[in-house]
Amino acid sequence: MAVVSWKEILLLTGLVVGCFWNSLSCGFVFDDVSAILDNKDLRPSTPLRNLFLNDFWGTPMSEERSHKSYRPLTVLTFRLNYLFSELNAASYHLLNLVLHAVVCVLFLRVCRLFLDKTSSLVAALLFAVHPIHTEAVTGVVGRAELLSSIFLLAAFLAYTKSTGVDRSIVWAPIALTVVLVAAATLCKEQGITVVGICCIHEVFVAQGFTLPSLLETLRQVLRGKGWFPYAVLQTLMKLIVLTISTLLLVIIRVQVIQSQLPVFTRFDNPAAVSPTPTRQMTFNYLLPVNAWLLLNPSELCCDWTMGTIPLVESLLDLRNMTTLLFYTCLALLAHHSLCYRHGSAKTVVMALSLIVLPFIPASNLFFPVGFVVAERVLYVPSMGFCVLFAHGFKIISQKGQLKRISWLILGVLLTTHAVKTFNRNWDWESEYTLFTSALKVNKNNAKLWNNVGHALEGQNNYGEALQYFLQATRVQPDDIGAHMNVGRTYKNLNRSKEAEEAYLVAKSLMPQVIPGKKYATRVAPNHLNVYINLANLIRANESRLEEADQLYRQAISMRPDFKQAYISRGELLLKMNKLTEARDAYLHALELDRSNADLWYNLAIVNIEMKDPSEALKNFNHALELNSRHKLALFNSALLMQESGEPKFWPEANRRFLAYVEEEPDDANGYFNLGMLAMDANENPAAERWMRKAISLQAGFRSALFNLALLYSQSKRETEALPVLDELLRHHPQHIKGLILKGDILMNHKKETSGAKACFQRILDIDPTNVQGKHNLCVVYFEERDLLRAERCLEETLAMAPHEEYVRRHLSIVRGKIAAMNAAGQPLTSTEGASLAAAEAKAARAQEQAESQEEGRGADAGGQDRDKKNVRKSSAESGGVGVDPSESLGSSPSDKRTKE
């Protein structure tokens, strides 16, 4: 038995690299998005044990919406990719290329067991370049096929060494085989079929039985005319060990999926829900369809679901002849391989075992799967096809007159396949190129029209995307998902009326109530989103909030484990101020998923609305324990600590704001709140630095500009405050507190009473009822020695605010001064008298400042409250952070929203 030489390894590797190197420039497309981009199991923050609790897509196996595809070893390799290169697609494609090269070398090694050196190399070369493999190699999720194939071939090679030179059993290779079978199965479910391949090899190749001789031996034993030969007993013992091991793996696998099959829609596999005999005729017809793809891979398609292959609904359908021809050819090959002992029969039987057994799980013949045809599942069956081709090539090339022609045909075939593979790889460059290439092959698949629409939608090309979604509804009028896509696109185009109509069409296509039957077994989880989308649309109308809530409750009644429905309903209930019900909705969602940081965050927002800051902080901390970089939880928990006014929280609040600005370096709000925190701690240089940073990121940042000016004023740097206030008033000319502070500085420090007077008059133009502006204007009149006007002004101010003691006190001072000057016969415009009165008025205002500072945080020298922008940041589905340029002056947070 010849081994594989280094030259052959280099040849195969070079051929693989030549055919697939352009796959390195491809991105994550189709199923890669769910398996890689959206799969949290790849992230280092996710515990490793989750890989063995979740399915291939990161969904817990215990959830009904799980796909039940259990491939933890494959996900582990994705996680290793992420560890070294995060989401750099090239590294994922590179590893796939390397794994395909390894499979080719192992396949050559297997072929050497029952083909000569030349024929086995021909089989390996054809396998290396076959275009059917582009989905398995260029599509990142195809790694499941590659890894499973490596362990499958390794298990088979190990098993072939289980017979010693004296035909005794060698148990170590059998034990290794069982381990490798388990590994193959943990990469992809079809890996377990290698046990059947080993059994075929043991009986018909290693022991040399034919089907007639095997039946004759069994008949003799049953008649009592003999017993099994020793070689047969040894074979039985090995097969029993393999069978028991297989059964254990199957039992474990059934336990993992909790005895539940995944839920597929009739759009995924229309024949699976068709009546007899349509179902049987269609599934059997799919076998020659797959065989034709191996023979002639000229038209390849990434998705064969929906209407790609019309149902075979009649016995008179000519496609039944194709099925009959396929089974005839298969029967002839089986007869040739099972009824004779020569070497050709052994080669054919192994080729058939490689074709048939690994394909059985995907054949739909024994249980339905979520697809009609999938090119990647032909990866292992193509090995048997390549063996058959190489064996046929050997037979033809041995005929003298056909030798040259056969080699010429082989060269042309390998060249055309290699070119086809290379060109096919470019289709996987992006989702748009992939799905448009598929539409060239088949225009009757609504899913392809939908996916091209999704690709255009991802480029924000909503107008063109809408045309593809509408075409999907024409191709498949009962496709719920297509109508949902139309509705969502109309919504993105701000055409709410059309969006609602599309959602209502999708809703009308949902299954109706069947007494005694669970909804969950009949409804695809993603289709239930029609209730969520429709509710999210209509809730924009304040008069339809109850209607939206009814839709959320309907979705929950149809699938009680529908986590997103609880989340969306919780947000709506929060908007309706039904805080207790909102909290209960989030608690229900947490029962389904306690590892969701967004849920803990949303619950914390509800706690804030319920005036329970301690519970809110606790839930923010839960979110940060699950995701230490959760931006919204960092920001809002720090804001909560800051608003508490307790200095013991300030260091941690400062740390969280710093962590937030590290995640969001361009968000001015983070720096502004760091500045506010520094002002609380009297760290003026740091406060100035952070405020300046916020202003540089957001020109005209109202709160930052005002508080920076206030900081300068409190630090006796009034001349530096004035330019900041000028910039504030340039952007926000009606900023009353800025006008008050500027007027105060001009009057008290610059002695520019005319400028101060203009500021205070501007305030009264904006708000004639503003007591502080009116009072300060009265002080200006006093400074201008116009005591009578000051008196009238203060009387008007007192009428506006009869309970303000400082106004009454100032009026009394002015009246007393007027009376004293009248009694002394002094003119009311006396400079001396006015200065004295001004001093008394300033003293009174200083007293007001002290009172204001006792009552509230951060009053300025003129009794001004600090202008604070404490915006509660909201959590959105997209994970983005919205910045509201308005501010809430010393008030409670203004934007409290939960995750949509």
Side-chain angles (χ1 to χ4, degrees):
M1 182 171 60
V3 295
V4 179
S5 68
W6 279 106
K7 289 183 180 180
E8 291 171 324
I9 293 174
L10 291 175
L11 174 62
L12 287 172
T13 303
L15 197 57
V16 168
V17 172
C19 288
F20 289 98
W21 69 264
N22 58 334
S23 69
L24 301 183
S25 62
C26 297
F28 296 116
V29 298
F30 203 15
D31 290 338
D32 298 348
V33 175
S34 298
I36 308 298
L37 300 182
D38 298 338
N39 192 346
K40 293 182 180 178
D41 287 348
L42 272 63
R43 280 45 173 184
S45 58
T46 303
L48 269 176
R49 61 185 177 85
N50 282 26
L51 273 63
F52 296 90
L53 299 175
N54 299 342
D55 67 13
F56 186 55
W57 316 98
T59 305
M61 294 291 289
S62 58
E63 292 191 11
E64 194 166 14
R65 63 189 177 92
S66 168
H67 195 271
K68 308 301 181 186
S69 47
Y70 187 65
R71 304 165 192 172
L73 293 187
T74 303
V75 180
L76 181 60
T77 65
F78 292 152
R79 186 168 174 132
L80 291 174
N81 268 122
Y82 188 91
L83 181 65
F84 289 106
S85 62
E86 293 193 350
L87 294 176
N88 178 12
S91 73
Y92 294 78
H93 289 295
L94 177 62
L95 184 52
N96 273 24
L97 187 153
V98 171
L99 292 174
H100 181 52
V102 173
V103 173
C104 292
V105 173
L106 284 173
F107 177 56
L108 176 59
R109 183 72 178 82
V110 168
C111 289
R112 290 281 155 84
L113 297 174
F114 34 83
L115 285 173
D116 61 40
K117 187 174 182 180
T118 301
S119 300
S120 58
L121 183 59
V122 168
L125 290 174
L126 180 59
F127 180 81
V129 302
H130 203 296
I132 202 72
H133 298 154
T134 51
E135 183 172 352
V137 180
T138 309
V140 177
V141 295
R143 186 176 300 176
E145 317 290 336
L146 304 174
L147 288 170
S148 181
S149 298
I150 288 174
F151 289 115
L152 181 149
L153 295 172
F156 179 72
L157 287 172
Y159 184 78
T160 59
K161 298 178 181 178
S162 63
T163 303
V165 291
D166 57 350
R167 305 193 67 79
S168 61
I169 300 175
V170 183
W171 290 106
I174 293 178
L176 179 59
T177 299
V178 172
V179 172
L180 291 170
V181 170
T185 306
L186 291 174
C187 292
K188 191 174 182 185
E189 296 77 5
Q190 70 178 28
I192 202 169
T193 60
V194 70
V195 174
I197 298 172
C198 292
C199 292
I200 296 291
H201 179 270
E202 179 66 31
V203 175
F204 296 103
V205 178
Q207 300 301 328
F209 282 104
T210 62
L211 188 57
S213 65
L214 194 62
L215 293 174
E216 180 60 28
T217 302
L218 183 60
R219 185 163 46 248
Q220 293 294 332
V221 172
L222 292 176
R223 290 178 177 178
K225 295 182 178 180
W227 189 238
F228 288 117
Y230 181 68
V232 176
L233 290 175
Q234 284 188 312
T235 299
L236 282 174
M237 191 176 298
K238 290 201 287 187
L239 296 185
I240 288 171
V241 171
L242 282 180
T243 303
I244 292 174
S245 302
T246 304
L247 287 175
L248 287 174
L249 284 174
V250 170
I251 291 171
I252 293 171
R253 182 71 173 81
V254 170
Q255 289 296 318
V256 166
I257 67 173
Q258 299 182 359
S259 303
Q260 293 179 340
L261 290 176
V263 177
F264 299 117
T265 69
R266 59 191 176 87
F267 305 112
D268 296 322
N269 192 343
V273 295
S274 299
T276 301
T278 299
R279 180 170 64 254
Q280 290 77 12
M281 288 190 297
T282 304
F283 283 156
N284 281 280
Y285 171 68
L286 294 179
L287 301 180
V289 170
N290 282 278
W292 181 248
L293 287 174
L294 291 173
L295 282 168
N296 180 30
S298 59
E299 292 189 340
L300 299 177
C301 181
C302 63
D303 192 300
W304 294 79
T305 55
M306 289 193 162
T308 304
I309 300 176
L311 297 173
V312 182
E313 298 179 297
S314 170
L315 290 171
L316 299 178
D317 193 316
L318 291 177
R319 289 177 293 174
N320 289 321
M321 297 299 295
T322 307
T323 305
L324 185 60
L325 178 62
F326 170 80
Y327 276 114
T328 301
C329 294
L330 189 64
L332 290 173
L333 287 171
H335 179 268
H336 172 80
S337 63
L338 296 175
C339 297
Y340 300 96
R341 292 181 184 272
H342 51 69
S344 176
K346 294 179 179 179
T347 300
V348 173
V349 75
M350 290 310 303
L352 288 178
S353 67
L354 281 168
I355 292 173
V356 174
L357 295 178
F359 186 72
I360 285 177
S363 67
N364 282 291
L365 294 176
F366 298 97
F367 50 84
V369 293
F371 52 83
V372 179
V373 173
E375 293 163 12
R376 63 178 177 269
V377 304
L378 293 174
Y379 189 77
V380 177
S382 69
M383 295 178 186
F385 168 78
C386 292
V387 171
L388 277 181
F389 175 87
H391 184 55
F393 170 80
K394 173 187 173 183
I395 295 172
I396 294 174
S397 64
Q398 287 176 345
K399 300 183 184 296
Q401 65 273 26
L402 296 177
K403 184 174 183 179
R404 289 185 178 180
I405 296 176
S406 61
W407 279 101
L408 178 62
I409 292 173
L410 176 65
V412 171
L413 181 67
L414 291 177
T415 302
T416 55
H417 272 31
V419 171
K420 171 68 176 176
T421 298
F422 184 84
N423 290 332
R424 172 66 172 155
N425 288 334
W426 289 122
D427 292 340
W428 294 80
E429 185 175 15
S430 68
E431 294 210 319
Y432 181 78
T433 57
L434 179 64
F435 296 125
T436 51
S437 71
L439 280 176
K440 295 175 184 176
V441 176
N442 172 45
K443 298 185 185 303
N444 296 321
N445 186 338
K447 191 174 179 182
L448 293 176
W449 292 100
N450 279 319
N451 284 333
V452 175
H454 286 310
L456 291 167
E457 191 179 32
Q459 301 169 10
N460 295 326
N461 190 350
Y462 298 120
E464 192 174 350
L466 178 62
Q467 300 309 311
Y468 280 91
F469 290 142
L470 288 171
Q471 180 61 24
T473 63
R474 288 190 282 267
V475 170
Q476 188 84 40
D478 59 348
D479 180 9
I480 297 172
H483 291 286
M484 290 169 62
N485 292 335
V486 170
R488 186 182 61 256
T489 310
Y490 275 131
K491 183 175 182 292
N492 289 331
L493 291 169
N494 296 318
R495 296 166 64 178
S496 299
K497 182 179 178 181
E498 292 96 330
E500 184 173 350
E501 290 172 356
Y503 284 141
L504 287 173
V505 172
K507 181 173 175 285
S508 69
L509 294 170
M510 293 291 287
Q512 301 303 309
V513 175
I514 298 178
K517 193 165 185 179
K518 288 173 60 182
Y519 268 115
T521 59
R522 299 179 291 111
V523 181
N526 61 314
H527 286 171
L528 280 176
N529 284 320
V530 67
Y531 295 98
I532 305 299
N533 294 349
L534 181 56
N536 289 345
L537 178 69
I538 67 176
R539 60 190 272 186
N541 186 338
E542 295 287 338
S543 66
R544 302 180 70 183
L545 298 183
E546 289 291 346
E547 186 180 346
D549 188 36
Q550 176 63 30
L551 288 167
Y552 291 136
R553 284 186 280 129
Q554 188 172 354
I556 291 169
S557 69
M558 295 180 76
R559 186 173 287 269
D561 65 347
F562 193 10
K563 179 177 64 179
Q564 188 57 47
Y566 291 109
I567 294 173
S568 297
R569 184 166 186 249
E571 179 186 356
L572 177 66
L573 292 168
L574 185 59
K575 183 177 182 180
M576 297 168 70
N577 204 33
K578 296 182 178 181
L579 302 181
T580 303
E581 292 181 59
R583 182 191 61 194
D584 293 342
Y586 286 130
L587 289 175
H588 273 298
L590 282 169
E591 289 175 7
L592 298 170
D593 184 8
R594 297 190 68 81
S595 62
N596 189 320
D598 287 332
L599 280 175
W600 290 106
Y601 169 83
N602 289 347
L603 183 59
I605 295 297
V606 176
N607 295 141
I608 289 174
E609 293 289 342
M610 297 180 76
K611 312 300 183 194
D612 191 352
S614 61
E615 191 66 21
L617 187 57
K618 187 188 303 181
N619 289 323
F620 278 137
N621 291 338
H622 274 304
L624 291 171
E625 286 170 9
L626 293 167
N627 179 7
S628 61
R629 312 307 295 176
H630 193 293
K631 293 182 287 190
L632 299 176
L634 283 169
F635 183 92
N636 286 294
S637 62
L639 191 59
L640 193 63
M641 293 176 176
Q642 179 183 0
E643 290 171 345
S644 71
E646 297 187 35
K648 66 179 181 180
F649 287 135
W650 291 349
E652 178 60 17
N654 190 73
R655 187 195 68 77
R656 293 189 184 187
F657 277 134
L658 287 172
Y660 173 77
V661 297
E662 186 178 333
E663 295 292 314
E664 289 286 340
D666 297 326
D667 185 5
N669 286 284
Y671 300 101
F672 167 73
N673 281 286
L674 279 167
M676 295 295 287
L677 206 56
M679 287 181 72
D680 287 335
N682 294 320
E683 297 174 359
N684 291 347
E688 180 182 357
R689 184 173 72 253
W690 293 127
M691 292 296 183
R692 286 286 184 191
K693 178 67 174 177
I695 294 165
S696 69
L697 289 172
Q698 183 178 321
F701 192 157
R702 214 166 79 161
S703 299
L705 285 166
F706 178 80
N707 282 287
L708 180 60
L710 183 60
L711 175 68
Y712 287 147
S713 174
Q714 292 174 335
S715 304
K716 309 301 181 186
R717 298 161 63 185
E718 287 81 2
T719 54
E720 294 178 63
L722 283 175
V724 178
L725 287 168
D726 288 338
E727 183 179 356
L728 169 67
L729 294 170
R730 179 168 60 85
H731 288 283
H732 308 283
Q734 296 188 338
H735 194 286
I736 290 176
K737 291 196 173 187
L739 288 166
I740 289 176
L741 181 58
K742 181 179 179 181
D744 184 77
I745 293 174
L746 289 174
M747 184 169 62
N748 291 326
H749 301 284
K750 302 289 288 183
K751 305 302 180 184
E752 296 180 10
T753 54
S754 59
K757 185 177 183 180
C759 289
F760 300 137
Q761 285 176 335
R762 174 64 179 154
I763 292 169
L764 294 175
D765 290 339
I766 298 168
D767 178 14
T769 64
N770 188 283
V771 174
Q772 193 168 6
K774 183 77 170 178
H775 170 266
N776 287 2
L777 181 62
C778 301
V779 175
V780 172
Y781 294 149
F782 195 92
E783 292 286 349
E784 290 178 340
R785 309 181 185 87
D786 193 344
L787 297 182
L788 295 176
R789 193 171 185 182
E791 181 184 24
R792 287 196 304 273
C793 179
L794 285 169
E795 287 171 348
E796 293 170 0
T797 306
L798 188 61
M800 292 165 57
H803 301 295
E804 291 291 352
E805 183 59 34
Y806 73 93
V807 179
R808 191 182 304 277
R809 189 165 58 248
H810 293 176
L811 178 59
S812 175
I813 292 173
V814 171
R815 284 175 174 171
K817 188 63 179 175
I818 291 173
M821 294 178 71
N822 284 334
Q826 296 178 352
L828 295 181
T829 57
S830 167
T831 302
E832 180 183 359
S835 298
L836 179 61
E840 292 172 352
K842 287 180 185 178
R845 284 167 53 221
Q847 175 63 27
E848 171 60 22
Q849 170 196 351
E851 293 171 359
S852 176
Q853 287 178 330
E854 288 173 3
E855 295 171 1
R857 297 168 55 202
D860 70 353
Q864 309 298 320
D865 291 331
R866 271 169 41 182
D867 188 8
K868 302 194 304 178
K869 180 183 185 222
N870 289 341
V871 178
R872 181 79 57 209
K873 291 187 173 290
S874 63
S875 169
E877 186 69 48
S878 62
V881 177
V883 178
D884 184 351
S886 65
E887 82 263 31
S888 176
L889 305 179
S891 68
S892 59
S894 62
D895 183 18
K896 300 181 182 177
R897 259 190 342 113
T898 53
K899 180 176 178 182
E900 295 185 9

